[in-house]
Structures are given as C-alpha cells and as structure tokens.
Amino acid sequence: GFFQSYAVEVDVKDASNATCLYAKWMMKFLIKYETNSSDYKNTTLNLSSGVTHNESVCGSDTQAALLAVQFGEGHSWSINFTKTNETYQGDFITFTYNTNDTTVFPDAKRKGPVTIVVKDTMRPVQLNNVFVCHNTDFFEAENVTQIFWNVTVQAFVQNGTIGKKESRCRADTPTSAPTVPPTVANVTTASTTTLSPAPTTAPKPVENPDTGNYSLKSGNKTCLLATVGLQLNVSQDKPLLININPKTTSADGTCGNTTAILKLNDGNSTLIGF
C-alpha cells in the first residue's frame, strides 16, 4: 500500500521571495489504536494530494527553522532545524493524527488529535549542503511508526539557491537503490539490503562469525541487548559469505512501547535491521 503515498515537496520563501527551506520526501505512518470494543487495530495513514505547509518558518541565527505540513482530516507533521556557524540539523519531529478521521480510524475509542514527539537522529549537515537519504528510515514511539524514504532537504538555504553538494545518510551508498518501506506485517521482522536471485552454486563455508554485544539506550537506561554472531549469505552473480565484525560494527535504533528497532552498520555499507 505504500505506493498510495504522495511525494511531498515544500519550498518555503522568505520576505524577498527567495527559497529559505526546501524539502521533498515520501512518508507514511503505521498506527495502532484502541477501538470501542477495547481491542486494538493497526491502520496506515498515507499523505493525500492536498498537503499544505502554511506554518513552515525560514529560521535564522537565533530562531529554529520549521518544516510543517498539514494533510487529510486534521493530521499534521513537522520537524524543526537549528544551526551553528557551519552546520544545521533536525532536532525534533512532531506528528499529530486525528482519530475523528473515521476513514482511517473507524470505531476509535479515543476521539480527537493525538500528538507524538520524537527526537530526530539526523547528523549535522554542512551549511549549503543538501541532505539526501533514499533508503528507508523510521521512528517508533507510542504505538506509531513513522516511515520516511527518498528524502531531500536543505534548511537555512543561502541566497535562495539550493546547494549542489549532497550529504548522504549512512544507509545510502552511491549505487544503492531506494528500499521498500516496511508494512504493518513486516516492520518488526529482520530485514537486509536488497538481494539478487538465489545462486546456482553454494558459496564456500567460512569460519564462524565472532560474537558481538550490541545495546541501545533510551535516555540513561539500556532498553535493548543483543549478543549474536552474524553471517550474511549474499545471493548474487558470484555467491558471497560475509561475517559481521563486531569490532567495526556500530549499533543504533530506537526503543518504543511495543517495538524496538536495532540497526547494525559495519562501516562498509552492510546494514541489517531487526
């Protein structure tokens, strides 16, 4: 159902009608809500074609920039950006969904707007650079999973001209293709980067992978622990076995009330998400 989502493009102008904040991206939301019968249902909220961005703000040296969109029956999403002398970065994402929208939330027990705020994990981006991330990223909090892909954004645009140099997210490589966004059925299952058809011959065995210890924190508390040795059997023209090296592998992700996401990156563009 992700193909029903619309690409959102926002071009915010300053008082002189010059571009000060630009973004184009895809996003959707997986939401678990309580019904009048006290059970829970999963629903998907996609963006419609009628998106507005009236509350967006350019920002300045002393004021945060705000990218804010409104869509559907009372739904809204925003992210604020702050900058230093050399960089800018996203700080917080605020998402409000309205359970009075009976098309998306039939028989919802709680009526009215519900607001979720999560901290953005975007790394600092050099001023005059465009942040680009084709691969899927997602945040889980309070029964809501926010999913983003094909993201292009630049805050604090200088002289109304979008930058030529790109700053890529970790999941992107120069040759990587956009990944398929998760669905309600698979958002919590293990996934890997896109693989080609199965090989005709089996790869030669290699030594067992070293065991790594990975953890995530929520505030000051550890919310996820994993002790595991990992080996990838990559199906391509020439089959390949890859051992994930714990010494060079970093872990990040998020912990929510009902879902934890662990992402491992070995520094060579090998990404595994659980």
Side-chain angles (χ1 to χ4, degrees):
F2 69 91
F3 290 110
Q4 297 172 4
S5 294
Y6 286 82
V8 186
E9 186 171 18
V10 175
D11 189 348
V12 183
K13 307 286 188 179
D14 61 17
S16 63
N17 202 36
T19 297
C20 61
L21 175 60
Y22 175 83
K24 186 175 182 179
W25 75 103
M26 303 281 285
M27 68 179 175
K28 65 182 294 187
F29 307 91
L30 309 181
I31 303 170
K32 184 178 181 180
Y33 70 98
E34 187 177 9
T35 67
N36 286 321
S37 57
S38 296
D39 62 349
Y40 285 83
K41 289 184 177 179
N42 292 315
T43 189
T44 302
L45 176 59
N46 292 301
L47 269 69
S48 62
S49 58
V51 177
T52 61
H53 61 275
N54 301 329
E55 298 177 9
S56 297
V57 177
C58 287
S60 64
D61 291 339
T62 57
Q63 180 185 16
L66 181 67
L67 175 63
V69 294
Q70 305 81 40
F71 58 98
E73 300 296 325
H75 314 298
S76 62
W77 180 91
S78 66
I79 178 173
N80 72 306
F81 298 92
T82 55
K83 75 170 182 174
T84 64
N85 292 331
E86 299 179 350
T87 64
Y88 68 90
Q89 68 182 105
D91 286 334
F92 291 94
I93 292 174
T94 303
F95 170 52
T96 298
Y97 61 93
N98 186 4
T99 57
N100 286 325
D101 185 348
T102 56
T103 302
V104 181
F105 304 97
D107 198 32
K109 183 175 183 178
R110 178 179 179 178
K111 298 294 185 182
V114 181
T115 299
I116 307 296
V117 179
V118 295
K119 183 172 178 57
D120 185 23
T121 58
M122 175 182 175
R123 294 181 296 176
V125 178
Q126 289 293 318
L127 289 175
N128 297 321
N129 284 16
V130 180
F131 175 77
V132 176
C133 192
H134 293 304
N135 279 267
T136 304
D137 197 6
F138 40 92
F139 300 92
E140 200 279 341
E142 301 181 41
N143 292 331
V144 176
T145 301
Q146 305 181 47
I147 305 169
F148 310 91
W149 68 103
N150 287 348
V151 175
T152 300
V153 62
Q154 183 178 352
F156 304 103
V157 177
Q158 305 295 306
N159 302 319
T161 304
I162 304 299
K164 302 296 184 182
K165 188 175 181 180
E166 294 182 353
S167 293
R168 291 295 189 100
C169 63
R170 297 178 196 174
D172 274 10
T173 63
T175 58
S176 64
T179 57
V180 176
T183 64
V184 172
N186 70 17
V187 70
T188 58
T189 59
S191 61
T192 64
T193 49
T194 304
L195 304 179
S196 303
T200 56
T201 59
K204 294 180 180 180
V206 296
E207 70 278 2
N208 290 330
D210 292 334
T211 300
N213 296 302
Y214 309 101
S215 64
L216 297 179
K217 287 187 177 293
S218 180
N220 294 325
K221 296 183 179 180
T222 299
C223 59
L224 186 149
L225 289 171
T227 300
V228 60
L230 292 169
Q231 183 181 93
L232 301 183
N233 184 338
V234 182
S235 301
Q236 53 185 20
D237 293 338
K238 184 178 180 180
L240 178 65
L241 288 179
I242 302 174
N243 283 343
I244 303 301
N245 184 355
K247 295 180 180 179
T248 60
T249 298
S250 61
D252 61 10
T254 58
C255 292
N257 293 334
T258 59
T259 302
I261 298 169
L262 173 65
K263 295 189 288 185
L264 303 179
N265 192 329
D266 72 351
N268 294 310
S269 301
T270 299
L271 177 68
I272 309 175
F274 298 95

